[in-house]
Amino acid sequence: QTVVTQEPSFSVSPGGTVTLTCGLNSGSVSTTNHPSWYQQTPGQAPRILIHSISFRSSGVPDRFSGSIVGNKAALTITGAQADDESDYYCVLYVGSGSWVFGGGTKLTVL
Amino acid sequence: EVQLVESGGVLVHPGGSLRLSCAASGFTFSNYWMSWVRQAPGKGLEWVANIKGDGSEKYYVDSVKGRFTISRDNAKTSLDLQMNSLRAEDSAVYYCARWDLYSGYYSLHNWGQGTLVTVSS
C-alpha cells in the first residue's frame, strides 16, 4: 500500500522560514508523481497553493514556493505570517489512475 | 467563474445507499477530469475517485471499489457519486473537485464547499 508521508506538525516563528515535505514510502518523489500542495483552514474547502511542482496558483503570495528536494516534494514558506497557520496537504499520482494525499501538516505560527 | 456545488449528504444507516451530486458551472465540463475527495471528521483528505471528461475512464481508491460508482452527465454538467453498502468509516465531508492540466502536470484547482455524509445507526 502506497503511503504519502508528511510531517504531522510544524512550528515556525513569524517572519521565519519553514519547509514542509511530501514523501513516498515506496521510493522517491519525482515529476511523474505530479506533486501539488493545498492549504486548508478549519471549516473551509482546500485551496490550491502550488501546482506543476513549483508554480504558484493565482493569488498565492510569493512567500510560498514548491520544489522537489532530494527524494521528496517540498513546500517552503519564506517569511511566515500569522494567517499561514493552516493545514497543508500534498497529493501525488501513484500510478494506475490512483492518487494519494499525504496525511497533512498542521502548521503553527508563533 | 468556476462553481462546483455538492448536494445529497445526509445521515444514513450502515449498509445503506446514498447518491451525491455536484453541479458544475462556469467552464466546459466535458473537457475536464473530475474527482471526489473526502475528509473524515478531524482527519486528512482522501482521494476517492476520478472520472475522465468523456466518462470513459474511472478510478477508485481501494476502500470503495465495488461499493461506490462515479458518473457524470455532461449534458447536465453534473458529477455523481453512488455510494452503496455504506460503512461508518465512509462518514466524511465529500468534496467535488476539478483536475486541471498545466505544463503536463495535473492538480486540483477548483473545489466545491463539500457535503457531509454521516453513516450511523
Side-chain angles (χ1 to χ4, degrees):
Chain A
Q1 180 184 354
T2 301
V3 175
V4 175
T5 59
Q6 293 186 248
E7 298 86 2
S9 63
F10 231 120
S11 184
V12 62
S13 301
T17 296
V18 62
T19 296
L20 312 183
T21 67
C22 175
L24 271 174
N25 68 336
S26 55
S28 297
V29 174
S30 73
T31 58
T32 61
N33 296 118
H34 299 244
S36 55
W37 290 89
Y38 304 83
Q39 180 188 51
Q40 188 182 35
T41 52
Q44 300 296 313
R47 161 204 182 197
I48 187 166
L49 289 177
I50 301 291
H51 65 88
S52 310
I53 304 166
S54 60
F55 287 81
R56 279 184 301 278
S57 187
S58 177
V60 174
D62 61 5
R63 64 180 180 274
F64 291 91
S65 62
S67 61
I68 292 179
V69 179
N71 61 350
K72 295 183 179 182
L75 172 70
T76 299
I77 308 173
T78 304
Q81 298 185 3
D83 61 1
D84 296 335
E85 191 161 290
S86 298
D87 294 327
Y88 292 88
Y89 294 92
C90 64
V91 68
L92 300 177
Y93 180 67
V94 297
S96 302
S98 294
W99 296 78
V100 178
F101 280 90
T105 297
K106 184 177 184 62
L107 181 67
T108 301
V109 180
L110 52 74
Chain B
E1 179 193 2
V2 174
Q3 287 201 337
L4 300 170
V5 181
E6 303 92 337
S7 61
V10 292
L11 170 64
V12 62
H13 293 310
S17 296
L18 194 60
R19 190 175 188 91
L20 304 183
S21 292
C22 171
S25 61
F27 63 102
T28 304
F29 184 67
S30 59
N31 287 352
Y32 292 86
W33 283 83
M34 297 294 296
S35 190
W36 287 99
V37 175
R38 68 184 178 183
Q39 186 169 35
K43 303 297 184 181
L45 300 172
E46 180 180 35
W47 171 78
V48 173
N50 272 4
I51 185 169
K52 194 176 180 180
D54 62 2
S56 62
E57 295 181 44
K58 303 176 184 181
Y59 301 97
Y60 301 90
V61 67
D62 284 348
S63 59
V64 309
K65 283 179 182 175
R67 300 189 300 123
F68 289 11
T69 302
I70 189 171
S71 62
R72 63 193 299 157
D73 184 331
N74 286 343
K76 296 182 178 177
T77 66
S78 69
L79 175 73
D80 287 349
L81 185 68
Q82 177 66 41
M83 303 188 296
N84 298 330
S85 303
L86 282 161
R87 306 165 180 168
E89 55 264 36
D90 296 318
S91 295
V93 173
Y94 284 73
Y95 294 101
C96 163
R98 188 186 89 174
W99 290 96
D100 281 51
L101 180 64
Y102 285 97
S103 303
Y105 299 103
Y106 282 97
S107 49
L108 290 161
H109 279 250
N110 296 95
W111 298 68
Q113 84 289 348
T115 188
L116 177 62
V117 173
T118 303
V119 183
S120 175
S121 53

